[in-house]
Amino acid sequence: MFRLTVRAHPDDEDEILGRATLFAITGIEQDNLDSGLVDFHLWFAQPEEAHRAQRLLPGELTEHPDLNWNETYQRDWQPLEVGQRWFLVPPDSDAPTPTGRVRLAMRPGIAFGNGDHAATHLCLELMEECVQPGDLLLDVGCGTGILLEAASHLGVRAALGCDLDPAAAPSFFGSLDAVRSASIDTAVVNIQIGVILDLWPDIQRVVRPGGRVVLSGVLREQVDQWPATPHETRFRGDWAAARITL
């Protein structure tokens, strides 16, 4: 395994993660430093791909021949209660589901949205409060599909997903352009703020008037960039989420 470490300012996160998706990465880690900077660790299985990424994202490249990134990272997953409804568990966990909670399996793999991130937890909390039975729900940037699974437990009539990441869950739309409906009741968008802003006109196109949008994947210091005035903003650690009514 090869690790490319790129040190940058938190405001550069969107650009770095956007560029990272151009390469065959096997994992991404992020370390917040006391200096206020962030180390972004990009993991690669092939040295050629790591060196190619280093030309676009200058940083320190190191080799870790014995490391299985996914296995090492996912070994630390622990069962977790989120919001009032959810119980997130690692794959193959035999932990009993607490009474009154819905069991959601964290999804191993390299796609985003596997369930372990604070931004995903914020989405789950807001979804349980604003998704209505019978809703048509759209998850933009659905990753492994854990939010779509959660939506199915909230009584939606249908849950659609779209993601451009080839590692995302199969059988979803390729991009938001493919969504022709203009009657989405609730959209969930758990992506970096720069992508949210780029997609906002399309989100407004597909969500019906009076429909709800849950936005997450945004750093605390970026909340002044929300594309519309939120009815609620919620925080967990360095991350923020918002609920907006169109």
Side-chain angles (χ1 to χ4, degrees), residues 171-203:
S171 73
F172 296 128
F173 293 113
S175 73
L176 188 52
D177 290 339
V179 182
R180 298 303 178 189
S181 172
S183 58
I184 299 296
D185 299 296
T186 302
V188 184
V189 190
N190 185 15
I191 314 179
Q192 298 90 5
I193 186 63
V195 181
I196 289 175
L197 296 175
D198 288 343
L199 294 179
W200 189 247
D202 266 334
I203 294 168

Short mmCIF file of all heavy atoms in Angstrom, two decimals, residues 171-203:
data_model
loop_
_atom_site.label_atom_id
_atom_site.label_comp_id
_atom_site.label_asym_id
_atom_site.label_seq_id
_atom_site.Cartn_x
_atom_site.Cartn_y
_atom_site.Cartn_z
N SER A 171 -26.74 0.03 -9.10
CA SER A 171 -28.12 0.21 -9.56
C SER A 171 -28.71 1.57 -9.23
O SER A 171 -29.93 1.73 -9.19
CB SER A 171 -29.04 -0.90 -9.01
OG SER A 171 -29.30 -0.73 -7.62
N PHE A 172 -27.87 2.59 -8.97
CA PHE A 172 -28.37 3.94 -8.78
C PHE A 172 -28.09 4.77 -10.03
O PHE A 172 -27.25 4.42 -10.85
CB PHE A 172 -27.73 4.59 -7.56
CG PHE A 172 -28.08 3.91 -6.27
CD1 PHE A 172 -27.09 3.51 -5.39
CD2 PHE A 172 -29.39 3.64 -5.95
CE1 PHE A 172 -27.40 2.86 -4.22
CE2 PHE A 172 -29.71 3.01 -4.77
CZ PHE A 172 -28.71 2.61 -3.90
N PHE A 173 -28.78 5.90 -10.15
CA PHE A 173 -28.54 6.80 -11.26
C PHE A 173 -27.07 7.24 -11.26
O PHE A 173 -26.44 7.33 -10.22
CB PHE A 173 -29.41 8.06 -11.12
CG PHE A 173 -30.87 7.81 -11.29
CD1 PHE A 173 -31.74 7.96 -10.23
CD2 PHE A 173 -31.40 7.46 -12.52
CE1 PHE A 173 -33.10 7.75 -10.37
CE2 PHE A 173 -32.76 7.25 -12.68
CZ PHE A 173 -33.61 7.40 -11.60
N GLY A 174 -26.55 7.55 -12.46
CA GLY A 174 -25.17 8.00 -12.53
C GLY A 174 -24.98 9.41 -12.03
O GLY A 174 -24.00 9.71 -11.37
N SER A 175 -25.92 10.30 -12.35
CA SER A 175 -25.75 11.68 -11.93
C SER A 175 -27.11 12.30 -11.69
O SER A 175 -28.16 11.74 -12.04
CB SER A 175 -25.01 12.49 -13.01
OG SER A 175 -25.86 12.71 -14.13
N LEU A 176 -27.09 13.49 -11.09
CA LEU A 176 -28.34 14.18 -10.81
C LEU A 176 -29.06 14.56 -12.10
O LEU A 176 -30.29 14.72 -12.12
CB LEU A 176 -28.05 15.42 -9.96
CG LEU A 176 -29.23 16.19 -9.38
CD1 LEU A 176 -30.19 15.26 -8.63
CD2 LEU A 176 -28.74 17.30 -8.46
N ASP A 177 -28.33 14.71 -13.20
CA ASP A 177 -28.96 15.02 -14.49
C ASP A 177 -29.96 13.95 -14.90
O ASP A 177 -30.91 14.22 -15.63
CB ASP A 177 -27.89 15.14 -15.58
CG ASP A 177 -27.04 16.38 -15.43
OD1 ASP A 177 -27.49 17.33 -14.76
OD2 ASP A 177 -25.92 16.40 -15.96
N ALA A 178 -29.73 12.72 -14.45
CA ALA A 178 -30.61 11.62 -14.82
C ALA A 178 -31.94 11.63 -14.09
O ALA A 178 -32.86 10.91 -14.46
CB ALA A 178 -29.91 10.28 -14.57
N VAL A 179 -32.05 12.46 -13.06
CA VAL A 179 -33.30 12.54 -12.29
C VAL A 179 -34.20 13.56 -12.97
O VAL A 179 -33.92 14.76 -12.95
CB VAL A 179 -33.02 12.95 -10.82
CG1 VAL A 179 -34.32 12.98 -10.03
CG2 VAL A 179 -32.04 11.98 -10.19
N ARG A 180 -35.27 13.09 -13.58
CA ARG A 180 -36.16 13.97 -14.33
C ARG A 180 -37.37 14.40 -13.52
O ARG A 180 -38.08 15.32 -13.90
CB ARG A 180 -36.63 13.26 -15.60
CG ARG A 180 -35.49 12.92 -16.56
CD ARG A 180 -34.72 14.16 -16.94
NE ARG A 180 -33.59 13.88 -17.83
CZ ARG A 180 -32.67 14.78 -18.15
NH1 ARG A 180 -32.76 16.00 -17.67
NH2 ARG A 180 -31.67 14.44 -18.95
N SER A 181 -37.62 13.71 -12.41
CA SER A 181 -38.78 14.06 -11.58
C SER A 181 -38.60 15.45 -10.99
O SER A 181 -37.51 15.87 -10.63
CB SER A 181 -38.94 13.05 -10.45
OG SER A 181 -39.94 13.47 -9.55
N ALA A 182 -39.69 16.20 -10.90
CA ALA A 182 -39.69 17.49 -10.22
C ALA A 182 -40.60 17.42 -9.00
O ALA A 182 -41.14 18.43 -8.55
CB ALA A 182 -40.16 18.61 -11.16
N SER A 183 -40.75 16.21 -8.45
CA SER A 183 -41.68 16.02 -7.34
C SER A 183 -41.02 15.32 -6.15
O SER A 183 -41.68 14.63 -5.39
CB SER A 183 -42.88 15.20 -7.82
OG SER A 183 -42.46 13.94 -8.34
N ILE A 184 -39.71 15.51 -5.99
CA ILE A 184 -39.03 14.94 -4.84
C ILE A 184 -39.52 15.67 -3.58
O ILE A 184 -39.53 16.89 -3.52
CB ILE A 184 -37.50 15.10 -4.98
CG1 ILE A 184 -36.99 14.35 -6.22
CG2 ILE A 184 -36.79 14.62 -3.73
CD1 ILE A 184 -37.17 12.86 -6.17
N ASP A 185 -39.90 14.88 -2.58
CA ASP A 185 -40.37 15.48 -1.32
C ASP A 185 -39.21 15.83 -0.40
O ASP A 185 -39.24 16.87 0.27
CB ASP A 185 -41.32 14.51 -0.60
CG ASP A 185 -42.55 14.19 -1.42
OD1 ASP A 185 -43.34 15.12 -1.67
OD2 ASP A 185 -42.72 13.02 -1.82
N THR A 186 -38.23 14.94 -0.32
CA THR A 186 -37.06 15.16 0.53
C THR A 186 -35.81 14.76 -0.22
O THR A 186 -35.74 13.65 -0.75
CB THR A 186 -37.14 14.34 1.83
OG1 THR A 186 -38.33 14.68 2.54
CG2 THR A 186 -35.95 14.64 2.73
N ALA A 187 -34.84 15.66 -0.28
CA ALA A 187 -33.52 15.34 -0.85
C ALA A 187 -32.49 15.40 0.26
O ALA A 187 -32.53 16.30 1.12
CB ALA A 187 -33.16 16.34 -1.95
N VAL A 188 -31.59 14.44 0.27
CA VAL A 188 -30.48 14.41 1.21
C VAL A 188 -29.20 14.54 0.41
O VAL A 188 -28.96 13.77 -0.53
CB VAL A 188 -30.48 13.11 2.03
CG1 VAL A 188 -29.37 13.15 3.08
CG2 VAL A 188 -31.83 12.89 2.69
N VAL A 189 -28.37 15.51 0.78
CA VAL A 189 -27.16 15.80 0.01
C VAL A 189 -25.99 15.86 0.99
O VAL A 189 -25.80 16.86 1.68
CB VAL A 189 -27.28 17.13 -0.76
CG1 VAL A 189 -26.11 17.29 -1.73
CG2 VAL A 189 -28.61 17.22 -1.49
N ASN A 190 -25.23 14.79 1.05
CA ASN A 190 -24.11 14.69 1.98
C ASN A 190 -22.81 14.72 1.18
O ASN A 190 -22.20 13.69 0.91
CB ASN A 190 -24.23 13.41 2.80
CG ASN A 190 -23.16 13.30 3.88
OD1 ASN A 190 -22.50 14.27 4.23
ND2 ASN A 190 -22.99 12.10 4.42
N ILE A 191 -22.42 15.93 0.76
CA ILE A 191 -21.28 16.13 -0.13
C ILE A 191 -20.56 17.41 0.32
O ILE A 191 -21.11 18.21 1.08
CB ILE A 191 -21.72 16.28 -1.61
CG1 ILE A 191 -22.74 15.22 -2.01
CG2 ILE A 191 -20.54 16.22 -2.55
CD1 ILE A 191 -23.23 15.34 -3.43
N GLN A 192 -19.35 17.63 -0.17
CA GLN A 192 -18.61 18.84 0.17
C GLN A 192 -19.36 20.09 -0.31
O GLN A 192 -20.09 20.07 -1.29
CB GLN A 192 -17.21 18.81 -0.46
CG GLN A 192 -16.33 17.68 0.02
CD GLN A 192 -16.48 16.43 -0.81
OE1 GLN A 192 -17.19 16.43 -1.82
NE2 GLN A 192 -15.83 15.36 -0.41
N ILE A 193 -19.12 21.22 0.37
CA ILE A 193 -19.88 22.44 0.12
C ILE A 193 -19.72 22.92 -1.32
O ILE A 193 -20.69 23.40 -1.93
CB ILE A 193 -19.47 23.56 1.11
CG1 ILE A 193 -20.36 24.79 0.95
CG2 ILE A 193 -18.00 23.90 0.97
CD1 ILE A 193 -21.82 24.56 1.25
N GLY A 194 -18.54 22.79 -1.91
CA GLY A 194 -18.37 23.24 -3.29
C GLY A 194 -19.25 22.49 -4.25
O GLY A 194 -19.82 23.07 -5.18
N VAL A 195 -19.41 21.19 -4.04
CA VAL A 195 -20.27 20.38 -4.90
C VAL A 195 -21.74 20.73 -4.64
O VAL A 195 -22.55 20.80 -5.57
CB VAL A 195 -20.02 18.87 -4.67
CG1 VAL A 195 -20.90 18.03 -5.57
CG2 VAL A 195 -18.55 18.55 -4.90
N ILE A 196 -22.09 20.95 -3.38
CA ILE A 196 -23.47 21.36 -3.05
C ILE A 196 -23.83 22.62 -3.82
O ILE A 196 -24.91 22.71 -4.42
CB ILE A 196 -23.62 21.58 -1.54
CG1 ILE A 196 -23.58 20.23 -0.80
CG2 ILE A 196 -24.93 22.31 -1.23
CD1 ILE A 196 -23.59 20.37 0.71
N LEU A 197 -22.94 23.60 -3.81
CA LEU A 197 -23.23 24.87 -4.49
C LEU A 197 -23.37 24.65 -6.00
O LEU A 197 -24.24 25.26 -6.64
CB LEU A 197 -22.14 25.88 -4.18
CG LEU A 197 -22.02 26.30 -2.71
CD1 LEU A 197 -20.83 27.21 -2.49
CD2 LEU A 197 -23.30 26.99 -2.24
N ASP A 198 -22.52 23.79 -6.56
CA ASP A 198 -22.61 23.51 -8.00
C ASP A 198 -23.93 22.83 -8.35
O ASP A 198 -24.51 23.08 -9.42
CB ASP A 198 -21.45 22.62 -8.44
CG ASP A 198 -20.12 23.36 -8.45
OD1 ASP A 198 -20.13 24.60 -8.44
OD2 ASP A 198 -19.06 22.68 -8.44
N LEU A 199 -24.40 21.94 -7.47
CA LEU A 199 -25.61 21.16 -7.75
C LEU A 199 -26.89 21.86 -7.33
O LEU A 199 -27.98 21.37 -7.66
CB LEU A 199 -25.52 19.81 -7.03
CG LEU A 199 -24.44 18.83 -7.49
CD1 LEU A 199 -24.49 17.57 -6.64
CD2 LEU A 199 -24.62 18.48 -8.96
N TRP A 200 -26.79 22.97 -6.63
CA TRP A 200 -27.99 23.58 -6.06
C TRP A 200 -29.08 23.90 -7.09
O TRP A 200 -30.26 23.63 -6.85
CB TRP A 200 -27.63 24.82 -5.25
CG TRP A 200 -28.79 25.37 -4.47
CD1 TRP A 200 -29.44 26.56 -4.66
CD2 TRP A 200 -29.46 24.72 -3.38
NE1 TRP A 200 -30.44 26.70 -3.75
CE2 TRP A 200 -30.49 25.59 -2.96
CE3 TRP A 200 -29.29 23.51 -2.71
CZ2 TRP A 200 -31.35 25.27 -1.90
CZ3 TRP A 200 -30.13 23.19 -1.67
CH2 TRP A 200 -31.15 24.06 -1.27
N PRO A 201 -28.76 24.43 -8.27
CA PRO A 201 -29.84 24.66 -9.25
C PRO A 201 -30.57 23.38 -9.62
O PRO A 201 -31.80 23.39 -9.77
CB PRO A 201 -29.08 25.25 -10.46
CG PRO A 201 -27.88 25.90 -9.86
CD PRO A 201 -27.48 24.99 -8.74
N ASP A 202 -29.85 22.26 -9.76
CA ASP A 202 -30.50 20.98 -10.07
C ASP A 202 -31.31 20.46 -8.89
O ASP A 202 -32.36 19.84 -9.07
CB ASP A 202 -29.47 19.94 -10.49
CG ASP A 202 -29.30 19.87 -12.00
OD1 ASP A 202 -30.25 20.22 -12.72
OD2 ASP A 202 -28.22 19.48 -12.45
N ILE A 203 -30.81 20.69 -7.68
CA ILE A 203 -31.58 20.28 -6.49
C ILE A 203 -32.90 21.04 -6.45
O ILE A 203 -33.96 20.46 -6.19
CB ILE A 203 -30.75 20.51 -5.21
CG1 ILE A 203 -29.53 19.58 -5.21
CG2 ILE A 203 -31.61 20.30 -3.96
CD1 ILE A 203 -28.52 19.92 -4.15
#
